[in-house]
Amino acid sequence: MPGLLSLANELIAKIADQLETCKEFRGTCKQIDHIISPKLLSYIVIDVNGERIDLGISQLEALANGSTRAGEYARTVEIRHLAPHHDPNYTGRSEFLNGRWVLKLEPQDPRVDWAYRKIRELLPAALSALVGARFVIWTMVNKSPVAVSEFLLTLPSLQTLCLMMPVASMTPVQPRPQPRLSQISNLTELTVRGYHDDFVAKIVGNSPKLAHLDLEYPGFQGVVEDVPTLHGLFKTVPHDHPLQLLHLRIRGYCIRFDRETLPHLRLLRSLEFNAIPPILGHKRSEYTQSLLEVSDKSASSLTETWEIIRREELPIEAIVTPINNVVLSYLAAADCIRKLALTEALTRVSDITSNSLAHEVTSTRAENEVLAHGFFTRVLPQHSKTLVSLSLPMDFGGAWFIGPHNTDALLECTQLVELSIPVDTTDSSGVEKASLDDVMEEILGMAARLPNLYQLELFTGFVGDFWHGLIVPTRANDTTQILSESITSFGPVDLGTHPQLIGSMGDKFRPQRDSCGVVKYIHCLT
């Protein structure tokens, strides 16, 4: 009688994927171990923190002395804190010291110094065993060992690098200098989050096949003297061999699309940005001349950016952007938008305030209503046959909330797989219009009629008083509580057709069949 081992290796691997005890299954015999190990050990996490000092050091020892085959199969390596003093579960207390906010840590484990010595001793040999890695994720801390950057330079097949740099709320906190990072080359994907310097531009210049670029430079209170720019990012790329970027996500930079930057963006398919806008108006006198020069040379407004994108006919099909009238017109005329996420509504340019650079400000209620009407009547019909992902943020308010005025437009988007929408029970003026039960029933009924919908995410929207053009979240907490309590009552939904995941302000829900066979949405924490 044929047994398990008579099956094709691919089928055995699929069976292992369905098991909660895959590691135990691997140990049943050498043949199964040989089949499962390449996938099971393809993703390796190296982490030594205050909660797992012994386990983390044991892992480094096993890699260093070759007692595990993880090094043979690892293709993705995630290097986390390597910080035995760090307790990931401790929120701590902050205090202001020497001009910045710092975290007061709990009393340290007495083994911390020993653990740091072991890391310095074992890490080079442990990392050298992972020579097959193609994708590396590195969370850097102030004491990140230099051995990691040395390891990155030894990887012959490294294609994707993700660097998570330190972030502070008040001032930049740079980790220990890693001068060797600037020598990394030949990447196809690069992600950097947090404060960073010129090494990023050097990596970009060293990677002529770079197609995916994701950069986020966090802002903080105060005047920024060293603003990163798109021009600076491309400064080391040879002019006669521009990049052929397909995906660009960039936040916290000054951005201007011009003859210096556009050659790298001609093939762009996906764009997400939240740029530092130009400094305008009489407040320019409050900023240094060097910052003004950077702003004048390298910063464009949202309107200018999208007018250039339209004029240059960049083939973008996935967009994450604020929206104003110019963006609305671009979207209404564009072809084949597949993914669209709107982050905020902006309508006009204002002078600099005391705490920020000049920017196109949040729309007033009336302007917001006009934008929403234009989106549902002009933009959605244009892309109803191609749109697979749509996200409308929770703080738009008013006509952006889902209701009878825009349900028909959403139902025309029959290819939608992912939908994130705000939900509320008030009308555009904040007056109660319906019970949350009625609103939820309407939304879930609409979702059941979208044939390809896989994920539905509901944000608790809020409509309150407008103050200086800002939406005040007067009802967010109440609506979140009601939504969390009432969402279990809705159904039925076909689990096989619509395995929707629903969230409200971080709360997640899953469809589940009750004892009577009716599908209801159940809070994931219950």
Side-chain angles (χ1 to χ4, degrees), residues 105-121:
L105 299 177
E106 287 182 316
Q108 296 297 308
D109 188 309
R111 299 172 299 163
V112 165
D113 290 339
W114 167 83
Y116 273 114
R117 289 195 299 271
K118 295 296 288 184
I119 289 174
R120 289 192 294 270
E121 172 191 334

Side-chain angles (χ1 to χ4, degrees), residues 160-234:
T160 304
L161 177 62
C162 177
L163 298 175
M164 311 302 290
M165 312 289 286
V167 175
S169 59
M170 301 300 291
T171 55
V173 176
Q174 295 290 355
R176 174 183 294 169
Q178 304 276 350
R180 298 275 280 170
L181 282 177
S182 62
Q183 300 177 29
I184 294 173
S185 61
N186 296 320
L187 297 179
T188 58
E189 297 186 22
L190 174 64
T191 297
V192 183
R193 304 284 173 84
Y195 296 107
H196 51 267
D197 55 26
D198 274 357
F199 79 84
V200 174
K202 292 177 182 178
I203 295 177
V204 170
N206 295 338
S207 303
K209 295 183 179 180
L210 192 66
H212 179 115
L213 191 54
D214 184 339
L215 304 176
E216 185 167 331
Y217 192 90
F220 60 94
Q221 296 296 322
V223 176
V224 183
E225 291 292 348
D226 189 19
V227 180
T229 69
L230 193 63
H231 287 78
L233 185 64
F234 296 143

Side-chain angles (χ1 to χ4, degrees), residues 90-135:
Y90 176 61
T91 56
R93 294 176 58 190
S94 296
E95 62 179 352
F96 196 70
L97 292 176
N98 301 322
R100 68 177 184 177
W101 286 98
V102 297
L103 193 65
K104 293 175 64 177
L105 299 177
E106 287 182 316
Q108 296 297 308
D109 188 309
R111 299 172 299 163
V112 165
D113 290 339
W114 167 83
Y116 273 114
R117 289 195 299 271
K118 295 296 288 184
I119 289 174
R120 289 192 294 270
E121 172 191 334
L122 298 168
L123 190 61
L127 293 177
S128 67
L130 302 170
V131 292
R134 299 172 183 171
F135 181 3

